Amino acid sequence: CRGAPRPVPPLSQLRDFLLVYNRMTELCFQHCVCNLNYRLLTGREERCLESCAAKLVHANHRLMRAYVALMPALLQRRAADYEASAARSSAPGTPGASPAPP
């Protein structure tokens, strides 16, 4: 039984995901893989890579939770700032405001 088709993420989200994934891979590889003389990873290298990736994924999840929690307050503050600046620019006597009608 097939479920409903999954929505395709916008290209910008895919690009951001790939950038994070590639950076994580590069960091963990540089940290954990010391010897390129062998075709396979050693057990120590595999454990290090798993631990490194898990730490970075966990940190990313914590960061995203904090971002999601702060986002409504940031959007509300931006909207208030925008409304205040719009009110100031339309008030008579402020620089850049249109002159009052005679």
Side-chain angles (χ1 to χ4, degrees):
C1 177
R2 298 177 89 179
R6 297 169 121 188
V8 177
L11 286 178
S12 63
Q13 286 181 354
L14 180 60
R15 180 181 171 274
D16 291 343
F17 168 78
L18 291 174
L19 287 171
V20 169
Y21 178 81
N22 287 339
R23 183 68 178 142
M24 181 184 75
T25 302
E26 181 182 346
L27 285 171
C28 291
F29 184 85
Q30 288 175 354
H31 178 73
C32 297
V33 179
C34 309
N35 189 347
L36 298 175
N37 293 330
Y38 302 103
R39 184 175 180 171
L40 299 176
L41 296 172
T42 65
R44 181 178 164 273
E45 290 170 334
E46 283 187 32
R47 286 189 300 278
C48 180
L49 288 168
E50 288 173 2
S51 174
C52 180
K55 282 181 186 179
L56 291 175
V57 167
H58 180 69
N60 190 359
H61 285 200
R62 288 182 62 193
L63 180 66
M64 291 311 294
R65 276 196 304 269
Y67 176 76
V68 167
L70 291 174
M71 200 59 199
L74 290 172
L75 290 175
Q76 188 175 17
R77 192 171 86 203
R78 282 187 188 166
D81 290 347
Y82 176 77
E83 289 173 4
S85 68
R88 280 192 305 269
S89 67
S90 65
T94 56
S98 57

